[in-house]
């Protein structure tokens, strides 16, 4: 039995680059997906928050004279692109994933709806959260503190960017501290 029923995994967009200068390295995304698959085989429900730094950084666009809100929206769309790539790679590996976005683009991905995210997790599907909170000028990872924690507990940690592209996913999952509570009550 796994120590946690559900986990939230934060993946850096930059980690998807692998050794490439930008974009998505195929071998890297396949490796990440296979490691997530190992976690699901343990019986954990898995949600993923994905970054977009391999495609566009809103802060960088704003620093070169672009309207900050426009740059932030472009960064949100980069996370949606990464989420789609991740979900498609999961599909190719025989997994089922659902992408949920904080911004409305229903022709492409589902809107974030908490009960629906919980239903997908309970069905054994992987839920990939994209577009942060959908609000420009917000830090890109608030789903870790806002939307996603309502669906899953904070049981994963972030890895420094310098090691994110080379560290296996399983090293980013915290092991539970010794407590008096049983694993089923966490």
């Amino acid at each position: 039995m796994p120590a946690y029923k559900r986990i939230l995994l934060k993946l850096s967009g930059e980690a998807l680059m692998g050794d490439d200068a930008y974009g998505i390295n195929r071998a890297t995304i396949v490796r990440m997906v296979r490691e997530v698959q190992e976690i699901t085989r343990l019986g954990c429900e898995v949600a993923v928050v994905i970054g977009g730094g391999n495609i566009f950084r809103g802060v960088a666009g704003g620093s070169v004279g672009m309207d900050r809100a426009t740059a932030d929206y472009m960064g949100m769309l980069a996370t949606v692109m990464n989420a789609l790539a991740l979900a498609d790679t999961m599909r190719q590996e025989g997994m089922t994933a659902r992408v949920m976005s904080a911004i409305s683009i229903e022709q492409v991905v589902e809107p974030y709806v908490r009960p629906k995210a919980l239903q997908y997790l309970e069905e054994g599907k992987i839920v990939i959260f994209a577009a942060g909170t959908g609000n420009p000028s917000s830090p890109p990872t608030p789903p870790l503190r806002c939307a996603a924690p309502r669906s899953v507990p904070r049981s994963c940690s972030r890895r420094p960017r310098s090691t994110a592209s080379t560290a296996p996913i399983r090293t980013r999952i915290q092991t539970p501290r010794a407590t008096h509570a049983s694993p089923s009550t966490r």
Side-chain angles (χ1 to χ4, degrees):
M1 182 173 172
Y4 291 102
K5 178 181 176 186
R6 293 186 183 128
I7 64 166
L8 175 64
L9 181 64
K10 167 52 170 102
L11 295 178
S12 162
E14 293 170 334
L16 295 175
M17 294 188 304
D19 294 328
D20 298 342
Y22 64 91
I24 300 169
N25 179 284
R26 179 76 186 152
T28 300
I29 196 168
V30 168
R31 178 186 52 82
M32 288 178 163
V33 164
R34 287 180 179 161
E35 291 180 3
V36 170
Q37 192 172 41
E38 288 178 34
I39 295 167
T40 62
R41 286 183 182 145
L42 296 173
C44 289
E45 296 172 1
V46 178
V48 178
V49 173
I50 187 87
N54 58 318
I55 298 170
F56 188 81
R57 286 198 155 299
V59 172
S63 70
V64 294
M66 182 180 285
D67 175 69
R68 176 63 193 263
T70 300
D72 286 344
Y73 282 123
M74 290 173 67
M76 288 179 221
L77 291 172
T79 70
V80 173
M81 289 189 285
N82 282 339
L84 289 169
L86 189 63
D88 187 64
T89 305
M90 288 178 175
R91 180 193 56 78
Q92 292 173 21
E93 293 293 317
M95 302 163 68
T96 304
R98 295 289 184 257
V99 177
M100 301 188 100
S101 172
I103 56 176
S104 180
I105 46 176
E106 292 181 43
Q107 295 86 347
V108 182
V109 298
E110 296 180 54
Y112 172 76
V113 178
R114 182 179 179 267
K116 195 69 170 168
L118 289 170
Q119 176 187 339
Y120 287 150
L121 289 169
E122 289 167 2
E123 292 172 354
K125 297 172 183 166
I126 295 163
V127 179
I128 305 169
F129 297 111
T133 62
N135 298 313
S137 303
S138 292
T141 57
L144 290 173
R145 296 178 297 278
C146 299
R150 288 177 261 167
S151 302
V152 292
R154 288 185 230 172
S155 59
C156 293
S157 64
R158 292 179 59 192
R159 216 49 193 150
R161 283 192 185 123
S162 61
T163 60
S165 64
T166 58
I169 291 172
R170 64 182 154 270
T171 63
R172 292 183 218 146
I173 299 174
Q174 292 178 343
T175 54
R177 293 187 184 105
T179 63
H180 296 290
S182 68
S184 62
T185 62
R186 289 189 192 129

